Amino acid sequence: MNRFLLILFLFLLPSFVHADNRWLLLRLDSALSAKPEAKKQKMHTISLLRSSLAKAPDDDRALRVYDDLYTEYHVYSYDSAAFYLKRGLALARKDNDTYYIQLFSIRKVELLSIAGLYSEAERLASAIDYHRLEPSLRFSYYIALFDLYRNLAEYCYDDDYSPSYRAFSYSCLQKSMMYLPHGKGLRYYYLGDLAKFVKHDRTLARYYYK
């Protein structure tokens, strides 16, 4: 099964985003959003999530739904992703919920990087205390840094800054492997990234990506 069919299959699963497919949705969302049926399914999922948010019985459930909505929107619509991210972070801070404060901070680094707001993303990333991060968030943290500095390297595209940004991004990808969640599809996707960007082995990368 190729990657498009795998992700399309994931979209046809029950509406809420599950931990074992979240990162596949994040990394391939832009490709899927161009497909009419996938777009229709996405809007249906968003509608259900909004309804769930309105009926959330407690703040913990609301925080989970805010994160799900961010995940659905984060490549598809920057403004909507930023809206739900801001709401989620505000609620997490009101409740002094360390896990969600950290999670939404990492999500914000990711979103700012996608938007090309690299200075803002760097400042926020530097304010995150890695040593105090929940262990379950360390993978997300390193992947956010990997994407940020890889984007920065491509943005600069010079001989002065790009090499160091690129090297740092690849080191973050390598570190993320220590915290890679279980799940064959997820593991293979990031092992493909590792093979492509760090080991420069495109044959191995294609093996993992297929």
Side-chain angles (χ1 to χ4, degrees), residues 92-166:
R93 285 172 173 162
K94 180 180 76 70
D95 291 351
N96 197 29
D97 190 312
T98 300
Y99 174 85
Y100 277 102
I101 291 172
Q102 292 176 345
L103 175 63
F104 288 131
S105 295
I106 293 169
R107 297 279 193 252
K108 192 169 182 179
V109 171
E110 176 185 63
L111 187 63
L112 290 170
S113 175
I114 291 171
L117 300 172
Y118 302 126
S119 296
E120 292 83 351
E122 280 192 289
R123 281 196 293 270
L124 180 56
S126 66
I128 297 173
D129 187 347
Y130 166 80
H131 298 288
R132 294 185 178 182
L133 273 182
E134 296 282 340
S136 61
L137 295 178
R138 291 178 180 175
F139 175 75
S140 301
Y141 170 76
Y142 278 124
I143 289 299
L145 291 182
F146 163 60
D147 286 333
L148 168 60
Y149 285 96
R150 183 164 60 112
N151 290 344
L152 256 176
E154 294 304 315
Y155 175 75
C156 294
Y157 204 71
D158 63 6
D159 295 329
D160 295 320
Y161 299 102
S162 289
S164 60
Y165 287 147
R166 193 170 290 112

Side-chain angles (χ1 to χ4, degrees), residues 68-82:
D68 287 348
L69 281 164
Y70 164 78
T71 300
E72 290 295 332
Y73 272 124
H74 94 287
V75 172
Y76 181 72
S77 170
Y78 173 86
D79 288 342
S80 295

Side-chain angles (χ1 to χ4, degrees), residues 10-22:
L10 293 175
F11 269 109
L12 297 177
L13 290 175
S15 299
F16 301 114
V17 180
H18 300 289
D20 60 350
N21 66 33
R22 171 184 298 280

Side-chain angles (χ1 to χ4, degrees), residues 185-203:
L186 177 64
R187 291 183 65 84
Y188 272 32
Y189 189 87
Y190 283 102
L191 287 171
D193 275 0
L194 188 68
K196 178 180 178 181
F197 295 114
V198 178
K199 298 180 179 179
H200 307 293
D201 187 335
R202 293 187 176 276
T203 300

